[in-house]
Amino acid sequence: MSVPEAADTIDADLGPAERTALRDCPFKFLSQFDYTLGVVIRNRLGLWNDGRVIDADDQPVACPDTAAQLVIEELWFRGRQQQIVTNPAGRKASAVAAMRSTLGTGLHVTRPVGARL
């Protein structure tokens, strides 16, 4: 399946809190989702069991971790395109709520050192 198709599969199961946490994360800190959302992606898409994701150049991505990262990036870009929040205070509040709501759900969101909400 292609990266967009894989993102569609995962996006259907994401809740609003997870989407907000992913969308509000700076791109350079997306690696914080490797052991949370990345595990979900690798398991649901069967990437450890010969499941394959096809990149933009129609080449199979052999590494499950790399494939999961491409899907995370696709979900991040989609969330950024759909972002409508214009009030910075509202954005900060939604990010805090998203982080709090993911505790205990398996999607633990951490704030990188020095990152601002």
Side-chain angles (χ1 to χ4, degrees):
M1 86 178 33
S2 69
V3 172
E5 291 170 338
D8 289 341
T9 300
I10 300 302
D11 190 38
D13 294 329
L14 288 180
E18 289 86 7
R19 283 191 185 97
T20 300
L22 185 60
R23 180 195 67 214
D24 290 345
C25 179
F27 185 82
K28 66 183 179 180
F29 296 123
L30 285 179
S31 63
Q32 71 183 338
F33 293 98
D34 286 347
Y35 298 108
T36 54
L37 182 57
V39 170
V40 171
I41 291 168
R42 289 186 289 276
N43 289 339
R44 289 219 181 114
L45 300 180
L47 298 179
W48 292 117
N49 299 323
D50 296 328
R52 293 285 182 246
V53 172
I54 307 299
D55 66 11
D57 297 325
D58 291 329
Q59 299 297 316
V61 180
C63 176
D65 297 330
T66 303
Q69 186 62 32
L70 290 173
V71 174
I72 289 170
E73 290 173 6
E74 175 70 19
L75 291 168
W76 181 85
F77 281 117
R78 289 179 182 189
R80 289 292 176 125
Q81 289 175 345
Q82 295 171 357
Q83 187 175 21
I84 301 174
V85 178
T86 57
N87 178 357
R91 183 173 180 201
K92 179 179 179 182
S94 66
V96 170
M99 283 190 279
R100 288 183 181 150
S101 69
T102 58
L103 296 175
T105 64
L107 278 178
H108 300 290
V109 180
T110 58
R111 185 176 66 169
V113 175
R116 297 180 63 200
L117 290 177

